[in-house]
Amino acid sequence: MPEPTGPLDAWEALLVPRTPDVVRVALAVPLSGPLALTAPSALDLAGLATDETNADGGVRGRPVELVTVDSGRPPHVVAAEASALLDAGVFDVLVGYHTSDVHRALEAALAGRVRYVFTPPHEGGRQRAGVLRIGSSPREQHAAALAWLVRHRRARRWALVGNDYVWPQAVHRAATAVLHGLGADVVGELLVPFGPSDPGAMVDLVRRSRADAVLLSLVGRDLVAFNREFARAGLDHRVVRLSGALEENGLYAVGGDSTGELFACMPSFAAVDGAADEGQIDLQERHARRAGPSAPVVCAYARGVYDGVRLAVTLPGRGATPRPVPAAPRLARAEGLSFREVRTA
């Protein structure tokens, strides 16, 4: 494989002469904001996808380059920058993961003008022309995990806690419907602005509501802050936690989990139920060969970006794209820094 090359900064790309035969992929990843702790993994995996594509001959003989756009900023800022860069001919296709309010803004700005592959779990609802979502909707991601916890952990009283934007709102609506169908109750709900903020109000809600389970739709550093405070309050051993946004970086940031009561329904982890996910292990090995032993962890967001880049460069021009069938939801349990899958009937 050729020597790895780094992505161009968005505005640097405006000044760098562009070879006519190059395919440029705009990579909208959160270089700032609550999800920024996941950016190093995503940048590395996007680079790996690009290097592998180029080693295979590129896109019909055309090499691929990456251009970064910071999607951790306010939605209107990200959408305006991406639109301006597209108008200037800086990129040919956009791949990204970010909060769903940024996703909605980018959809509105770019739909019908360029291909846009959105890689993480999404909020559901209408999908505009030219936009391809490869993650799961709230119900697809959470329903099996909620059902398993109700049946096997007797989690009957649920508190719903998340950040106050589109995706957690959609998750809470879907989860409420699923839980009611399972005979469980929602005994408290709280949505909070993006941090930094004191997670004490959320922890107090769980305690006051006498919840025996909490669904977490917090993201990034806000999720980390909540889990740390939850453990300090002594609730981690007796209240089940399920998160739709907990990935490897976030688990490392909280120091892992030894309670066996922390669960995640993100779509990839390094090991599941004590057995290796062969695709994930192979991806990690290729990543380590490219980036060295100190490479960032291959987290769920990064794996989605890798898949998104590999997919994006195969897509034809503008217009609608059929949506692939999403992968079945996965329930993984944190035991230290390892995970296992619980398959549901």
Side-chain angles (χ1 to χ4, degrees):
M1 184 179 292
E3 283 296 310
T5 56
L8 293 169
D9 172 81
W11 297 104
E12 177 188 7
L14 281 171
L15 305 175
V16 174
R18 181 178 177 183
T19 306
D21 66 344
V22 166
V23 176
R24 273 194 179 164
V25 177
L27 188 65
V29 298
L31 305 177
S32 60
L35 280 171
L37 80 166
T38 65
S41 301
L43 291 171
D44 267 18
L45 267 292
L48 176 64
T50 302
D51 289 349
E52 290 180 346
T53 299
N54 289 335
D56 291 339
V59 181
R60 292 178 291 279
R62 301 170 65 193
V64 177
E65 290 180 349
L66 294 175
V67 177
T68 57
V69 175
D70 180 6
S71 63
R73 296 168 296 169
H76 70 281
V77 174
V78 180
E81 180 173 302
S83 184
L85 292 169
L86 179 62
D87 290 341
V90 168
F91 65 88
D92 304 295
V93 62
L94 184 139
V95 175
Y97 79 95
H98 23 263
T99 56
S100 52
D101 50 352
V102 174
H103 171 47
R104 291 275 181 92
L106 282 170
E107 272 194 318
L110 303 179
R113 300 173 59 201
V114 70
R115 292 291 190 187
Y116 167 27
V117 180
F118 185 55
T119 64
H122 60 81
E123 73 277 12
R126 181 185 173 211
Q127 182 173 302
R128 295 175 183 250
V131 178
L132 179 61
R133 302 186 300 217
I134 64 175
S136 300
S137 70
R139 181 178 283 268
E140 290 165 344
Q141 185 187 4
H142 291 82
L146 291 168
W148 191 91
L149 289 169
V150 168
R151 291 166 184 156
H152 296 275
R153 281 290 192 274
R154 297 184 180 178
R156 296 287 179 178
R157 296 174 57 82
W158 285 80
L160 312 182
V161 174
N163 289 113
D164 193 4
Y165 73 101
V166 181
W167 179 71
Q169 293 163 5
V171 168
H172 286 195
R173 288 193 298 270
T176 298
V178 170
L179 289 169
H180 286 170
L182 295 167
D185 296 317
V186 174
V187 296
E189 181 175 2
L190 182 61
L191 293 170
V192 298
F194 288 119
S197 61
D198 181 3
M202 294 178 280
V203 173
D204 287 344
L205 172 68
V206 177
R207 185 186 289 112
R208 285 187 288 102
S209 65
R210 293 181 292 110
D212 45 34
V214 54
L215 175 63
L216 297 170
S217 298
L218 300 160
V219 298
R221 65 189 180 208
D222 291 354
L223 178 60
V224 171
F226 175 89
N227 281 315
R228 288 174 175 170
E229 183 64 24
F230 200 78
R232 279 194 291 267
L235 295 172
D236 53 333
H237 285 269
R238 62 183 180 86
V239 180
V240 169
R241 283 165 290 162
L242 171 65
S243 171
L246 179 67
E247 42 72 55
E248 290 84 339
N249 289 290
L251 188 63
Y252 278 119
V254 298
D257 175 71
S258 60
T259 68
E261 301 301 328
L262 177 60
F263 294 78
C265 49
M266 282 292 272
S268 77
F269 285 102
V272 185
D273 203 16
D277 174 341
E278 293 301 331
Q280 180 83 359
I281 295 300
D282 183 58
L283 185 62
Q284 286 181 285
E285 290 174 349
R286 302 200 312 273
H287 176 224
R289 287 195 296 271
R290 178 184 186 270
S294 61
V297 64
V298 178
C299 73
Y301 289 122
R303 185 169 180 175
V305 168
Y306 173 88
D307 292 340
V309 172
R310 295 291 297 212
L311 172 64
V313 297
T314 70
L315 296 175
R318 301 170 185 175
T321 304
R323 181 185 174 198
V325 176
R330 177 175 291 175
L331 178 63
R333 171 177 151 189
E335 297 178 330
L337 295 181
S338 66
F339 295 85
R340 67 179 178 87
E341 182 177 20
V342 179
R343 299 188 180 276
T344 56

